[in-house]
Amino acid sequence: MSFGAFNHHRNPGPMADINVTPMVDVMLVLLVIFILSAPMFTNAVKLDLPKAQAQANPQQAATVTLSIDGAGKIFWNNDPVELSVLEARLVDAAKLEPQPELQLRADKDTRYEVVAQVMAAAQSHGLTKLGFVTDPKKEKK
């Protein structure tokens, strides 16, 4: 029997309100428990750790950018060079410790022959770190 209703023939609908008071009570109790128990989880054990000698970090290798334009001209860090000058610079770079990393940037219209000559020159002079640089694919709008 429902109180406050004068029409006894009407079917009462489902209750649409949710009572959140018990949920809030439980959450507050859990909050108090976590606040009180948090200091117990932060205890530390006192240890006398051994000392160790570590070597200095190795020197980072330099980066050399070799660019080849569509006409086949070669650039060493944006400075134009001929193939003979390039080979002299590759010899000097191979003597450095650690060896520099060569980043090869070639125009899409560059002949493969020029790229192959630069790669062969780098390999023949003992340079082993060679990477190809490309532009990421641009999204079409």
Side-chain angles (χ1 to χ4, degrees):
M1 175 173 205
S2 114
F3 294 102
F6 296 111
N7 187 0
H8 298 289
H9 301 291
R10 188 177 70 161
N11 289 335
M15 186 175 175
D17 296 319
I18 297 174
N19 189 5
V20 294
T21 304
M23 182 180 70
V24 171
D25 289 343
V26 170
M27 296 304 290
L28 289 174
V29 169
L30 288 174
L31 179 66
V32 169
I33 290 172
F34 288 136
I35 288 173
L36 294 176
S37 63
M40 289 186 254
F41 297 125
T42 59
N43 60 355
V45 177
K46 300 285 184 191
L47 295 176
D48 187 20
L49 297 175
K51 306 288 186 230
Q53 295 290 334
Q55 295 179 356
N57 289 337
Q59 207 177 30
Q60 292 292 334
T63 301
V64 174
T65 303
L66 290 176
S67 303
I68 306 171
D69 66 1
K73 293 182 182 176
I74 303 170
F75 297 87
W76 178 281
N77 288 336
N78 296 329
D79 296 329
V81 294
E82 296 296 324
L83 193 57
S84 59
V85 176
L86 174 67
E87 290 189 9
R89 288 191 180 183
L90 290 173
V91 168
D92 293 338
K95 293 177 185 175
L96 296 176
E97 190 60 41
Q99 284 188 350
E101 177 182 338
L102 298 179
Q103 293 183 349
L104 186 60
R105 304 175 64 129
D107 191 273
K108 67 179 181 178
D109 297 327
T110 304
R111 292 178 45 100
Y112 178 72
E113 177 184 11
V114 179
V115 176
Q117 287 174 349
V118 170
M119 290 173 53
Q123 182 182 14
S124 66
H125 295 299
L127 293 167
T128 57
K129 296 179 182 178
L130 177 68
F132 291 95
V133 179
T134 60
D135 286 331
K137 186 175 182 180
K138 296 180 182 175
E139 294 182 20
K140 295 180 181 178
K141 291 183 181 181

